[in-house]
Amino acid sequence: MTVPTIGRPSGPAVGFVLALVSSACFAISGVLARAMIESGWSAGATVTVRIAVGAAVLAIPGFLAFRDRQPPIPASPAARTWGVVAAYGLLAVAGCQLAYFYAVTYLQVGVALLIEYTAPVAVLVWMWLRHAQRPTRVTVLGAALAIAGLALVLDLTGDVPISVVGVMWALAAMVGAATYFVISADERTGLPPLALAAGGLLVGAVVLGLAGLVGALPMTAGTADVDIGTLSLPWWVPLLLLGVVSAAMAYGFGIAAGRLLGARVMSFVALSEVLFAVLFAWIALDELPAPIQLIGGLLIVAGVVFVRLGEAG
């Protein structure tokens, strides 16, 4: 007789939890990075150290996961596998970070984020054109609700200057974000989530470091204490949190979630990062969200629900 598994969480349920944890980990980087920049660190140096620490944290777990993977990667597609790791590091990690950094030098932060976070729509189009996974009407409705909610959460009010160069950089960041979702959810690489995260972060750290050496990414650092709200912390504490939480944990959990949810659903659940960022700014910096942002949050949640229903159908 088969014993029913009552109460055991399903794959999608676990995937949603992992995706939300990943989004929360990514979101905390906003408060921490802002504090580092205000203490004298450049955005480029902060991001580079964040990625490098994340790579160091995942190096041993990633190697062990790769060594013990089941089944082992066949010899023939090994080159493709390492090509995927390189693409992940170049586009999803370093490229996305660099492009967003340059986008916000030409655009308001909210506008740059809105363009970058249209990545879920790009994922829908890519999966349709490349894999013939045509989205249902319910999925499209959910996508529209989520993007509309994102615009409200970012609270784009007043005159918003638009720069063509800034838009191009923001679109490049969007491509990097879409690449993150697609590769994270692709199980054909044969790479465990920890191994892919470790390899991608390592490649990203090297690329960002080289960008700093050639002057493409300004690098400024310091040892002054960092103020976060009412707390004053040694400079290395927020850097450690950035590397461990918003890099190692964020990418590791995100890849695991993508394997369980698929690229399309995962990309829309990841919009919750914006909601977490608003929440953390409220808690740490006492920046209260506006009513329009709360309405936007509800629209994002509704959009994710519709996308999930559309994918399940």
Side-chain angles (χ1 to χ4, degrees):
M1 181 177 70
T2 303
V3 179
T5 55
I6 299 176
R8 180 178 298 175
S10 63
V14 174
F16 269 104
V17 172
L18 292 175
L20 290 174
V21 172
S22 174
S23 293
C25 290
F26 273 123
I28 200 173
S29 65
V31 171
L32 296 174
R34 175 175 166 181
M36 293 300 301
I37 293 170
E38 290 178 349
S39 73
W41 283 64
S42 67
T46 303
V47 169
T48 302
V49 174
R50 167 196 171 196
I51 299 302
V53 171
V57 169
L58 289 183
I60 294 178
F63 172 76
L64 294 176
F66 177 78
R67 185 192 64 181
D68 299 334
R69 67 197 182 281
Q70 294 295 333
I73 300 175
S76 55
R80 177 185 179 276
T81 297
W82 296 119
V84 169
V85 173
Y88 190 84
L90 286 171
L91 297 176
V93 180
C96 187
Q97 299 284 351
L98 276 172
Y100 176 72
F101 173 76
Y102 281 115
V104 296
T105 64
Y106 295 96
L107 299 172
Q108 290 184 359
V109 172
V111 176
L113 278 175
L114 180 60
I115 295 173
E116 180 183 356
Y117 276 87
T118 58
V121 177
V123 172
L124 284 181
V125 174
W126 170 260
M127 299 304 287
W128 183 4
L129 297 179
R130 181 68 175 83
H131 300 286
Q133 296 180 10
R134 182 174 183 174
T136 65
R137 292 181 179 179
V138 177
T139 298
V140 173
L141 173 61
L145 287 174
I147 296 301
L150 176 63
L152 294 181
V153 170
L154 294 174
D155 195 12
L156 304 179
T157 57
D159 295 329
V160 181
I162 297 298
S163 162
V164 175
V165 175
V167 170
M168 296 303 293
W169 278 116
L171 287 173
M174 181 270 288
V175 171
T179 302
Y180 161 72
F181 296 124
V182 172
I183 295 181
S184 294
D186 191 354
E187 295 184 279
R188 295 173 301 171
T189 63
L191 283 170
L194 283 178
L196 176 57
L201 288 173
L202 177 60
V203 172
V206 171
V207 172
L208 290 172
L210 291 175
L213 288 176
V214 300
L217 191 63
M219 296 285 190
T220 304
T223 58
D225 286 350
V226 178
D227 296 325
I228 303 176
T230 58
L231 294 177
S232 183
L233 302 172
W235 61 272
W236 55 269
V237 172
L239 275 182
L240 191 62
L241 290 174
L242 278 169
V244 174
V245 178
S246 74
M249 293 175 60
Y251 281 98
F253 285 128
I255 295 171
R259 301 285 172 88
L260 294 172
L261 295 176
R264 296 199 290 193
V265 175
M266 169 60 183
S267 64
F268 282 95
V269 178
L271 292 178
S272 61
E273 178 186 340
V274 181
L275 304 182
F276 282 117
V278 172
L279 176 62
F280 292 148
W282 181 14
I283 294 173
L285 306 175
D286 199 25
E287 296 179 352
L288 295 177
I292 193 172
Q293 292 177 301
L294 299 178
I295 295 173
L298 293 177
L299 283 178
I300 290 177
V301 172
V304 170
V305 171
F306 274 99
V307 168
R308 177 57 189 152
L309 290 175
E311 294 299 289

